[in-house]
Amino acid sequence: MGSSPNGRPARSTSTSSTSSSSFTGIARIARRPCRELGPNSTRLIGHGLVAWTRHLKQDVRIRSARQEDREKVVPFCTGTFDWGDYIDEVFDLWVKDQEGSLLVADVDGQPAGILHVRLMKHGWAWLEGLRVDPRHRRAGLATALNLAALSFLKERGYRNVRLFIEANNLPSMQLAYKLGFTEAFRWKFYHGRRPVLAESRYSSVVGREKASETWDRLDGSDLFSRLGRCYEMSWAMHPLEREDFIELVDDGRVFRSGSGEDMALVISGPEEGHPRALRACFLMGSPKMVKDLASFVLRKALRQGFREVRAASPDQPEVVAGLRSARFRPGFSTTLVYTMDLRGLRP
Ligand SMILES: CC(C)(COP(=O)(O)OP(=O)(O)OC[C@H]1O[C@@H](n2cnc3c(N)ncnc32)[C@H](O)[C@@H]1OP(=O)(O)O)[C@@H](O)C(=O)NCCC(=O)NCCS
């Protein structure tokens, strides 16, 4: 769900056209009774796909998007954030998604909300781009879109789903809580433009010969496990297992500093939509090693013609301290990853 005026929005690498019949589950869900978890809070989905109590006052239908929806959807998204929105940049790509789906909520036959479901590896999925026309908010459309997305994923055997919410987006946090998502981890974003070290002493590109040893160190790290075994790239969290890591190494996208217990690690990649910026996701390291590595990645990026490195960091004091001492400046606001295990949900 995250997006940035300075960064690029999440984009799908793949694409679907799903018939609206895929979303018949929504009606069934919507009529189930509500589960109260406390005097002031209601979770719609708790231990199973439970309830959606609100009786929609309007005629709402969830379906997959069509190209011609663009002219209705983009205008109601334009003023979403104080800096605007990115939906106009990604709509054409998302509507062609052959694996996931761009869902549309129609009210009285007119598009009034969207949500993109992106399929990932290892049974994971990613939700992004949730938008409801301001004229139709608080009428249950976002709930309907999310429930349809969860049905879509459940029907296809997906096991887990994640999404981003900015830490200051209280309506979305409330919605996520209500749907049964739980907060998994906080991420911070920085950008670096001037390296502080003339030469990094401990950093290098990870090649095949060091791939296994480096993976084992990451795999055994407590932080990586708490992150949910994933990395951030261009506003989406990607699951990361050994085979993915080896592919990234083979693509020359993994760098590290130090070794053994004192190792910092970063995965880099193109910042979609911003060809002059390199994305770099720091996954672990002491302040000293992160500083060395951040300078290394930045110098390398500048040599390759990039103007800046946009760094994502888990909100973990050591990694953050390393980036700050490498004079990386805060970019986008803190963003929360929410997650849901779909296995216990009834379709
Ligand atoms: C967040 C957003 C998608 C919610 O859409 P919506 O259709 O109004 O949401 P729903 O009617 O389904 O609301 C479901 C629940 O979400 C929470 N919620 C929604 N809007 C809220 C608000 N303004 N304040 C507090 N809670 C809110 C409530 O718990 C609500 O249940 P309730 O109405 O019974 O109290 C919509 O406000 C929006 O498009 N915002 C701008 C874009 C955005 O922030 N997208 C998400 C990016 S992560």
Side-chain angles (χ1 to χ4, degrees):
M1 288 191 185
S3 53
S4 160
N6 306 312
R8 59 134 247 97
R11 288 191 187 202
S12 175
T13 49
S14 54
T15 52
S16 135
S17 79
T18 310
S19 81
S20 55
S21 63
S22 303
F23 309 120
T24 49
I26 192 71
R28 209 163 55 241
I29 296 158
R31 290 198 190 97
R32 291 215 182 113
C34 183
R35 183 185 295 254
E36 293 284 338
L37 290 188
N40 301 316
S41 62
T42 307
R43 298 201 91 173
L44 300 177
I45 298 174
H47 307 290
L49 258 193
V50 189
W52 185 29
T53 44
R54 189 192 299 260
H55 294 284
L56 296 180
K57 297 187 186 90
Q58 306 152 97
D59 172 22
V60 175
R61 179 169 169 260
I62 309 295
R63 60 172 173 86
S64 50
R66 300 182 287 263
Q67 184 61 42
E68 58 268 29
D69 294 323
R70 182 189 171 91
E71 64 189 57
K72 295 274 169 45
V73 168
V74 168
F76 72 69
C77 296
T78 308
T80 299
F81 302 107
D82 52 7
W83 50 268
D85 205 342
Y86 65 81
I87 298 299
D88 61 325
E89 293 174 32
V90 291
F91 187 92
D92 295 354
L93 195 66
W94 286 356
V95 85
K96 290 190 210 116
D97 193 341
Q98 293 297 314
E99 295 170 359
S101 188
L102 178 60
L103 304 182
V104 168
D106 276 339
V107 174
D108 298 329
Q110 295 298 316
I114 56 164
L115 173 63
H116 185 229
V117 186
R118 191 200 299 208
L119 303 186
M120 293 191 163
K121 292 171 83 177
H122 311 299
W124 280 92
W126 179 253
L127 300 184
E128 60 195 350
L130 176 64
R131 301 288 183 271
V132 171
D133 185 332
R135 291 168 297 182
H136 293 287
R137 289 187 187 166
R138 284 323 260 277
L141 294 192
T143 305
L145 284 161
N146 274 280
L147 292 176
L150 298 175
S151 286
F152 175 90
L153 292 171
K154 189 73 188 161
E155 281 166 19
R156 285 157 181 77
Y158 278 76
R159 296 190 295 273
N160 293 283
V161 60
R162 282 189 266 246
L163 51 86
F164 260 157
I165 299 180
E166 267 181 79
N168 60 6
N169 192 339
L170 295 179
S172 291
M173 288 160 79
Q174 178 69 20
L175 172 67
Y177 173 79
K178 199 159 188 174
L179 286 164
F181 283 89
T182 49
E183 184 187 327
F185 216 89
R186 288 174 180 239
W187 284 77
K188 287 179 168 280
F189 299 93
Y190 295 87
H191 56 258
R193 295 190 179 120
R194 281 182 301 136
V196 288
L197 300 176
E199 281 303 323
S200 294
R201 292 180 58 190
Y202 310 103
S203 301
S204 58
V205 179
V206 176
R208 252 300 169 104
E209 71 293 349
K210 295 254 171 75
S212 270
E213 168 202 330
T214 311
W215 168 256
D216 289 345
R217 172 74 187 96
L218 178 65
D219 194 27
S221 111
D222 175 52
L223 177 60
F224 185 55
S225 149
R226 284 187 287 127
L227 293 178
R229 303 177 67 80
C230 59
Y231 70 103
E232 195 278 350
M233 190 54 54
S234 287
W235 305 107
M237 302 303 310
H238 301 260
L240 183 60
E241 296 299 336
R242 178 183 284 269
E243 71 200 63
D244 315 308
F245 187 78
I246 300 293
E247 266 179 40
L248 290 164
V249 165
D250 286 347
D251 288 347
R253 293 174 56 185
V254 184
F255 311 107
R256 75 178 221 195
S257 62
S259 59
E261 284 304 300
D262 196 11
M263 182 192 291
L265 186 68
V266 72
I267 293 173
S268 67
E271 178 79 319
E272 288 176 45
H274 295 268
R276 307 301 297 275
L278 183 77
R279 194 74 166 182
C281 176
F282 289 78
L283 286 173
M284 62 183 195
S286 63
K288 180 177 169 187
M289 288 304 160
V290 169
K291 177 182 178 185
D292 195 271
L293 188 56
S295 288
F296 177 81
V297 173
L298 179 52
R299 272 205 325 280
K300 199 168 168 46
L302 295 175
R303 275 202 306 273
Q304 289 172 354
F306 293 103
R307 283 206 184 131
E308 63 174 349
V309 168
R310 291 180 179 173
S313 160
D315 188 6
Q316 198 264 356
E318 293 212 310
V319 180
V320 166
L323 282 171
R324 284 184 176 277
S325 64
R327 247 188 269 137
F328 274 52
R329 305 287 182 225
F332 198 60
S333 53
T334 301
T335 300
L336 285 60
V337 175
Y338 280 80
T339 185
M340 188 191 287
D341 187 335
L342 301 171
R343 282 167 288 194
L345 305 186
R346 291 188 296 275

